[in-house]
Amino acid sequence: MNNTAICTQKVRLYPNLTMKKVLDDLCDYRRYCWNQGLALWNDMYDESLIMNDKKLRPNARKVRDELVANKEDWQYQLSSRCLQLAIFDLGVAWKNYLNQTLPDWGKPQFKYKKSNKQGFKTDNARLVGRALFLDKPRSINAD
């Protein structure tokens, strides 16, 4: 048995205007990635049913690779981890959908901006004193 502890830290933020913009952009980008991934996943799943070919069934890697291959220029301004974690969570949601014994069973749904619950995930944030540091997105070089 692995004795690795999983630590979670809940932090209340009081962001300034600049940080609010960054956090809003990250929330919007995660929702965008989730919705794009869900649309692609639904299409791949429907195609696999029509063709009756289990090899065409979607998984998180196939969907992520397709979204990364078709990234728009503006997406490089934001953290790639948002896309990766959104698609990973989508894969978990689909796995749960295929297991009808779960209490909160249901097909993954599209997310809307007007929803009360907005959020994003990252595994590269760190707190230093009272400052929150988020992962820095990759910049594009205009060659």
Side-chain angles (χ1 to χ4, degrees):
M1 175 129 180
N2 191 354
N3 290 333
T4 308
I6 297 175
C7 297
T8 301
Q9 196 170 21
K10 197 171 188 178
V11 178
R12 183 170 191 102
L13 298 176
Y14 298 99
N16 60 23
L17 290 177
T18 304
M19 195 61 173
K20 277 185 186 180
K21 172 82 171 105
V22 169
L23 293 173
D24 284 343
D25 288 347
L26 288 170
C27 290
D28 291 345
Y29 186 50
R30 178 178 168 83
R31 184 178 54 256
Y32 173 83
C33 292
W34 173 277
N35 289 341
Q36 292 293 108
L38 182 56
L40 182 59
W41 198 297
N42 287 339
D43 291 345
M44 291 172 119
Y45 187 75
D46 291 344
E47 184 179 341
S48 73
L49 292 178
I50 291 170
M51 303 294 257
N52 200 17
D53 187 357
K54 289 187 178 185
K55 291 180 184 175
L56 296 176
R57 291 260 165 95
N59 61 39
R61 179 174 289 272
K62 284 182 187 177
V63 171
R64 189 196 70 215
D65 289 348
E66 183 71 26
L67 290 179
V68 168
N70 296 317
K71 258 184 161 180
E72 300 286 333
D73 288 341
W74 65 268
Q75 290 178 274
Y76 290 100
Q77 312 269 327
L78 298 160
S79 172
S80 63
R81 293 299 293 158
C82 270
L83 184 142
Q84 293 167 2
L85 293 170
I87 300 308
F88 175 79
D89 290 343
L90 182 60
V92 170
W94 263 92
K95 182 180 172 192
N96 292 343
Y97 168 62
L98 298 174
N99 180 3
Q100 295 184 8
T101 61
L102 293 174
D104 58 347
W105 175 80
K107 190 171 183 181
Q109 300 292 317
F110 288 97
K111 299 193 182 288
Y112 299 96
K113 188 168 189 161
K114 304 247 181 205
S115 173
N116 289 334
K117 186 177 180 183
Q118 299 290 326
F120 73 96
K121 277 186 177 177
T122 184
D123 54 0
N124 290 331
R126 54 187 203 284
L127 282 172
V128 178
R130 295 180 56 124
L132 173 67
F133 290 91
L134 298 172
D135 48 336
K136 191 172 184 179
R138 185 177 67 142
S139 61
I140 4 177
N141 297 329
D143 291 335

